[in-house]
Amino acid sequence: MAVDPRQVLAGVLTVTMFVMLANMIKRDHFDSPPANHWGVPIGNYEGKTAEHNVVTLARESIGPWKKDRVDPKPCWTKPAAEDTRQSDGFVTFSLTNGPEYHVSQIADAVVVARYLGATLLLPDIRGNTPGDKRKFGDIYDVDKFVESLDGVVKVAENQPADILARNLAVVRIPNQVTEKHIAENVEPLFRSKGNVRLASYFPSVNMRKTDRTTNIDSVSCLAMFGTLELQAEVHEVVDSVIERLRTLSRKSGGQFVAVDMRVEVLEKEDCQGSGDSETKSCYSPEEVALFLRKIGFDKDTTIYVTQSRWDSSLDTLKDFFPKTYTKDGIIPMDKKEYLSSETSELEKVLDFHICSQSDIFVPAISGLFYANVAGKRIASGRTQILVPANVPNSASATDFISPYISKKNHLAYSCFC
């Protein structure tokens, strides 16, 4: 009995999605500096009572903000057009699971297409629910994408009618795919079928750089950091939220903290950790609140959390920092359509770019969101990323700079000097 390749593709995408989501929680942890214990007992706090249990800050203190920012320079040069060997085949793929995955999926697809000399088909964007599908141009700038890859890979915006299921090989590739893997596992299928459809999977959700140096490094750097920009309307929404946050942050010079804190992830059993600060995969609102206060942030600090709508579990954070906001509480009224149930992908995009542009980013959850926000921040010179930890009575914020920054072990440091 013949098997419909479209059913195979659907199955591969579904399995890949669940594997990636499982890895996000199970296979990555914060590499935080060791700490002895909480200086304040963790319990149920109500109202302002909690503030009496932490170190009192001087009235003039507005937090440990770092004002210097240096834009890094790319360490790569755009690959020359004459290096490309063009074939008649196509590489197709979809962007899935949010912008933190999009960055890596784009890089892998461009690397494969360049190696094969194939034309890259502009991807569609698919969410986690059936039917949640949109065009690339609904979120990203198509012209910027095509122009940035000019001379590197040829990009087609529409799928040719002659690409059918029978001449399209579906192949799974690991994130940060290597030339060896392409040569052994992708190229033979491409040569036999003429076209391939890629489905990326993530053996690990960290983005630490490796010691290897290959011919595809410059292609990968360009794809990750030089191709994806938001289309104008979405860009405007991000800018309007950031502008509002800066307006509310007058007492701290217009600076604000973005915290990746999603209740549905924090509630998962696998996210509770062992209690060991070195293996913890996420931190509760209470733990983040205590962490921020103990490293020097006062109650006037403005905090943006990636939780879409207010949840009672965030009340403790707001007790410490009254200027704590979710998207629902901060987005302009004429942009509320971006928070409807049908626009979950757009919500993720807003979070990703707001966290990438905040003055300080605090990842309460480990995983690819943290890793790829860190990469985008490194590329723009915004290196203030503070990883929560169990802090003694008080500590310096510099002790909790992300290892991606302090050790310069993020993949982005292979691309920027």
Side-chain angles (χ1 to χ4, degrees), residues 8-22 97 172 200-201:
V8 175
L9 171 60
V12 168
L13 289 175
T14 300
V15 171
T16 300
M17 178 188 74
F18 284 111
V19 169
M20 287 190 293
L21 292 176
N97 297 303
R172 296 177 74 238
S200 295
Y201 66 93

Side-chain angles (χ1 to χ4, degrees), residues 117-359:
T119 296
L120 186 68
L121 188 64
L122 198 69
D124 59 6
I125 299 173
R126 302 187 183 189
N128 295 334
T129 57
D132 187 358
K133 181 178 176 181
R134 63 188 73 246
K135 295 179 180 179
F136 183 86
D138 290 342
I139 293 179
Y140 298 112
D141 187 327
V142 174
D143 291 337
K144 164 65 178 179
F145 183 75
V146 175
E147 289 171 7
S148 64
L149 292 174
D150 183 38
V152 180
V153 295
K154 184 178 179 181
V155 179
E157 296 188 30
N158 299 300
Q159 179 170 312
D162 59 351
I163 295 186
L164 304 173
R166 67 173 181 271
N167 61 1
L168 183 65
V170 179
V171 58
R172 296 177 74 238
I173 59 170
N175 177 229
Q176 299 184 45
V177 64
T178 63
E179 291 176 306
K180 183 175 184 292
H181 186 92
I182 298 171
E184 294 178 354
N185 300 281
V186 183
E187 188 170 18
L189 291 171
F190 179 74
R191 300 304 172 199
S192 64
K193 286 283 191 176
N195 308 284
V196 292
R197 180 170 180 83
L198 306 178
S200 295
Y201 66 93
F202 290 74
S204 172
V205 291
N206 73 60
M207 293 296 290
R208 295 186 182 94
K209 68 179 181 180
T210 63
D211 294 330
R212 76 170 193 256
T213 301
T214 70
N215 295 330
I216 64 175
D217 286 349
S218 60
V219 178
S220 181
C221 288
L222 170 65
M224 286 192 73
F225 301 109
T227 61
L228 285 182
E229 286 188 5
L230 298 178
Q231 56 100 320
E233 188 175 333
V234 179
H235 203 298
E236 182 183 342
V237 178
V238 172
D239 287 347
S240 66
V241 173
I242 291 176
E243 181 181 1
R244 176 65 175 153
L245 287 165
R246 296 206 183 285
T247 299
L248 292 166
S249 305
R250 288 187 295 271
K251 290 188 177 180
S252 57
Q255 300 176 106
F256 70 95
V257 177
V259 180
D260 179 30
M261 183 180 290
R262 289 159 280 151
V263 173
E264 73 276 9
V265 177
L266 294 175
E267 289 177 345
K268 291 184 184 293
E269 183 178 352
D270 289 338
C271 199
Q272 301 310 310
S274 64
D276 182 343
S277 64
E278 293 190 68
T279 60
K280 215 166 160 55
S281 63
C282 56
Y283 289 81
S284 70
E286 184 176 49
E287 290 172 321
V288 170
L290 287 168
F291 168 72
L292 290 174
R293 283 300 303 272
K294 288 183 176 184
I295 62 173
F297 290 95
D298 67 18
K299 64 183 180 62
D300 288 320
T301 302
T302 298
I303 296 178
Y304 172 85
V305 293
T306 54
Q307 173 69 20
S308 293
R309 293 161 186 81
W310 194 262
D311 186 271
S312 59
S313 64
L314 300 175
D315 289 348
T316 302
L317 182 61
K318 197 172 184 69
D319 286 341
F320 282 96
F321 302 100
K323 294 180 180 179
T324 297
Y325 303 96
T326 62
K327 284 183 290 297
D328 189 50
I330 201 73
I331 196 169
M333 287 300 297
D334 62 338
K335 308 296 183 184
K336 289 281 188 179
E337 63 190 84
Y338 285 86
L339 302 185
S340 68
S341 58
E342 293 80 23
T343 57
S344 60
E345 286 299 296
L346 288 171
E347 289 192 29
K348 294 177 185 177
V349 168
L350 298 184
D351 287 333
F352 186 82
H353 286 270
I354 292 168
C355 288
S356 297
Q357 296 180 53
S358 63
D359 298 281

